[in-house]
């Protein structure tokens, strides 16, 4: 008994050490989670103090201590001192990870503010310099055929440049969008050596200078085929510049379509072309609209290809196949070269109109592109709900029970007691009775159940009894 007790109690001794270790000294309350977003009082004070300190240090360096000069150097020095002081102030309260997070947040916000400031500066400066020409209605309805550099702003306009730009970009989009989207679908859906070769050519064409595209169209269309300078030739040159942008952007968007969608469509028996048309392209519609916008923004601002292929004119020309045609970028370039203030004002006014035109095309493309995959507007949601109700009604009508004059299946009987409001009674079943006494027709009631004809239930026949069977 003693040996057994020692063996049973021996393992309990080592177990006391982990229990004692677990019940060791208290490590204190758990650490509070670090706040990820949102301004704090200490953070705002540190930010303002660091900004003031950086500005003061830059003033001391550029004004008293060092022989530095220049506005750009002053701004860079002040910003670097601001980041350093802000990191030190944040490190007094936070750990290293929080300091890195705060500093990178400040850097990203600074980059966003610089970009937005540059955009606002460009748009505002252009609109401000063109403020003298924009209020006049004739600036949008007349051309420069009967006006000169010395004429006031109440005469002449840019109607011929606006119409020429719209005609050129429309023809270029009609050429670029089908070809670009088709090429992007080919690169995405049909991999192989030739698709890799095409992708390499497209990437090389992205860096193609615009003057080279204009020279190519000028050499082939005008010199080679003997055609005259026209808006159609300029549209061809613009298409060459737009095509690689549209193909690359559309290819990237089509790669983002989940492969499970195409696999599900092909598993249902849809051919490849139907899968692309009804699944892939609608899913990537908003991204494809962005690709078209990028190509349009590249082509609508080209000047040198238009100058080589379309020439220059001061009259309104609505025929893209005959005669020179002017675009807004070329008009801006021509007006700004003049030393007259009125022509300079017309140039900046034309630049402002060009920016508004690009904005309008951007809005139209976004409306056509719609929302992203999985996001529907209220109108689209109502249309989808109506289509779903029609589909459900069609399936219900197809699978509804119908009255048949010829019932080939076995007759079934429903107990009368199961129907509400009906007195239970003997349910009559008609059919063929294949009992032990041979086939016959008749009726059976629910009280006389149909039993299976088993061999052990058959009665034994005595010799000489007429059973109707032949030996």
């Amino acid at each position: 008994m003693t040996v057994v007790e020692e063996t049973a109690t021996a393992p309990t001794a080592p177990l006391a050490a982990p229990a004692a270790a677990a019940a060791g000294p208290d490590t204190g309350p758990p650490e509070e989670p670090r706040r990820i977003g949102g301004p704090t009082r200490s953070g705002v004070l540190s930010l303002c103090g660091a900004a003031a300190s950086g500005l003061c240090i830059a003033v001391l360096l550029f004004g008293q201590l060092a022989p530095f000069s220049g506005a750009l150097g002053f701004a860079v020095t002040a910003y670097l001192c601001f980041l350093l002081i802000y990191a030190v102030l944040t490190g007094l309260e936070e750990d290293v990870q929080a300091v890195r997070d705060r500093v990178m947040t400040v850097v990203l916000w600074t980059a966003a503010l610089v970009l937005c400031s540059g955009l606002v500066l460009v748009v505002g400066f252009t609109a401000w310099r063109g403020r003298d020409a924009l209020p006049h209605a004739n600036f949008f309805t007349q051309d420069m055929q009967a006006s000169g550099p010395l004429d006031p702003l109440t005469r002449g306009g840019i109607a011929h440049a606006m119409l020429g730009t719209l005609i050129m970009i429309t023809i270029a989009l009609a050429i670029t969008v089908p070809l670009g989207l088709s090429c992007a679908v080919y690169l995405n859906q049909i991999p192989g050596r030739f698709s890799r070769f095409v992708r390499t050519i497209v990437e090389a064409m992205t860096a193609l200078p615009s003057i080279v595209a204009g020279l190519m169209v000028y050499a082939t269309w005008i010199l080679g085929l003997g055609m005259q300078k026209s808006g159609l030739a300029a549209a061809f040159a613009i298409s060459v510049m737009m095509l690689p942008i549209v193909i690359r952007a559309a290819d990237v968007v089509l790669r983002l379509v989940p492969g499970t969608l195409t696999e599900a469509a092909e598993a249902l028996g849809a051919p490849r072309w139907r899968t692309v048309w009804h699944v892939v392209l609608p899913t990537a519609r908003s991204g494809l609209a962005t690709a078209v916008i990028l190509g349009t923004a590249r082509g609508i601002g080209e000047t040198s290809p238009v100058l080589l292929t379309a020439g220059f004119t001061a009259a309104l020309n609505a025929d893209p196949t005959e005669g020179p045609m002017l675009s807004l970028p070329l008009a801006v370039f021509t007006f700004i070269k003049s030393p007259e203030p009125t022509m300079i004002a017309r140039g900046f006014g034309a630049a402002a109109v060009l920016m508004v035109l690009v904005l309008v095309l951007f809005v139209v493309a976004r409306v056509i592109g719609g929302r992203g995959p999985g996001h529907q507007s209220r109108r689209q949601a109502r249309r989808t709900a109506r289509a779903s109700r029609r589909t459900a009604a069609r399936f219900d009508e197809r699978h509804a029970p119908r009255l048949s004059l010829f019932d080939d299946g076995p007759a079934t009987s429903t107990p009368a007691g199961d129907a509400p409001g009906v007195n239970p009674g003997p349910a009559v079943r008609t059919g063929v009775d294949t009992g032990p006494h041979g086939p016959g027709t008749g009726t059976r009631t629910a009280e006389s159940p149909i039993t299976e004809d088993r061999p052990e239930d058959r009665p034994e026949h005595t010799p000489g009894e007429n059973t109707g069977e032949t030996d």
Side-chain angles (χ1 to χ4, degrees):
M1 292 298 293
T2 304
V3 177
V4 175
E5 289 177 358
E6 291 177 355
T7 306
T9 56
T12 60
L15 295 177
D26 190 7
T27 58
E31 297 182 358
E32 296 182 359
R34 180 169 58 89
R35 186 173 181 177
I36 301 299
T40 60
R41 182 178 179 181
S42 60
V44 173
L45 293 177
S46 300
L47 191 66
C48 296
S53 301
L55 182 61
C56 294
I57 293 175
V59 170
L60 288 176
L61 290 176
F62 278 75
Q64 301 293 334
L65 302 180
F68 296 153
S69 62
L72 181 60
F74 179 83
V76 173
T77 303
Y79 183 70
L80 293 178
C81 295
F82 157 70
L83 288 180
L84 181 61
I85 296 173
Y86 180 69
V88 173
L89 293 178
T90 306
L92 298 177
E93 299 179 354
E94 303 289 346
D95 55 359
V96 178
Q97 185 178 3
V99 171
R100 293 176 181 174
D101 184 30
R102 298 285 181 84
V103 172
M104 289 304 301
T105 301
V106 171
V107 171
L108 293 178
W109 272 100
T110 305
L113 290 176
V114 169
L115 292 178
C116 292
S117 301
L119 179 61
V120 171
L121 180 62
V122 170
V123 175
F125 178 77
T126 304
W128 177 258
R129 292 295 302 271
R131 70 188 185 278
D132 296 332
L134 292 175
H136 300 283
N138 60 283
F139 184 69
F140 305 98
T141 58
Q142 297 179 6
D143 55 19
M144 296 295 295
Q145 186 176 7
S147 302
L150 299 179
D151 291 330
L153 294 175
T154 55
R155 297 183 58 183
I158 58 170
H160 58 307
M162 295 171 57
L163 182 61
T165 299
L166 291 176
I167 292 175
M168 292 178 191
I169 200 65
T170 301
I171 297 175
L173 286 174
I175 298 173
T176 304
V177 172
L179 291 179
L181 297 184
S182 301
C183 184
V185 170
Y186 172 79
L187 296 178
N188 185 264
Q189 297 292 327
I190 306 177
R193 291 185 177 180
F194 188 70
S195 63
R196 290 194 297 269
F197 173 75
V198 172
R199 183 176 283 109
T200 303
I201 297 299
V202 169
E203 292 177 356
M205 287 182 61
T206 306
L208 182 70
S210 58
I211 190 66
V212 176
L215 287 174
M216 182 190 69
V217 175
Y218 180 79
T220 56
W221 183 260
I222 298 176
L223 297 181
L225 300 179
M227 301 294 179
Q228 59 180 342
K229 291 184 178 181
S230 61
L232 183 61
F236 289 156
I238 294 174
S239 300
V240 174
M241 300 304 303
M242 293 172 55
L243 193 60
I245 304 296
V246 175
I247 292 175
R248 286 202 62 185
D251 184 26
V252 172
V253 171
L254 292 177
R255 289 183 185 181
L256 299 178
V257 177
T260 54
L261 295 179
T262 58
E263 292 175 0
E266 293 177 356
L268 293 175
R272 178 64 63 86
W273 70 268
R274 188 176 292 274
T275 301
V276 172
W277 184 258
H278 292 282
V279 177
V280 177
L281 293 181
T283 304
R285 184 176 59 177
S286 60
L288 296 178
T290 304
V292 174
I293 291 171
L294 294 176
T296 304
R298 173 66 185 275
I300 202 173
E302 294 295 339
T303 302
S304 55
V306 178
L307 181 61
L308 285 173
T309 55
F312 180 84
T313 180
L316 182 65
N317 181 18
D319 188 3
T321 61
E322 184 178 358
M325 184 175 287
L326 187 66
S327 64
L328 280 174
L330 186 57
V332 172
F333 175 73
T334 305
F335 292 158
I336 293 297
K337 289 192 306 180
S338 176
E340 297 297 328
T342 54
M343 294 297 289
I344 295 176
R346 289 189 180 99
F348 278 100
V353 173
L354 179 61
M355 290 189 298
V356 173
L357 181 59
V358 172
L359 179 62
V360 171
L361 293 177
F362 173 80
V363 172
V364 171
R366 296 307 302 173
V367 171
I368 295 176
R371 304 188 180 187
H375 300 278
Q376 292 182 336
S377 62
R378 294 183 178 179
R379 183 178 180 181
Q380 292 174 342
R382 288 194 297 267
R383 185 166 63 248
T384 303
R386 288 196 298 267
S388 299
R389 286 194 294 268
R390 288 195 300 266
T391 303
R394 187 171 67 251
F395 272 86
D396 292 342
E397 182 181 359
R398 179 179 298 179
H399 296 285
R402 299 179 180 178
L403 180 62
S404 179
L405 298 177
F406 303 97
D407 191 5
D408 297 335
T412 58
S413 62
T414 303
D418 294 343
V422 180
N423 294 327
V428 179
R429 176 183 297 174
T430 60
V432 179
D433 184 11
T434 57
H437 300 289
T441 59
T443 61
R444 290 181 180 271
T445 61
E447 286 80 0
S448 56
I450 300 176
T451 58
E452 185 179 359
D453 189 10
R454 295 177 296 181
E456 57 269 15
D457 295 337
R458 297 179 182 176
E460 297 181 358
H461 303 290
T462 57
E465 183 180 358
N466 186 10
T467 59
E469 299 177 357
T470 58
D471 296 338

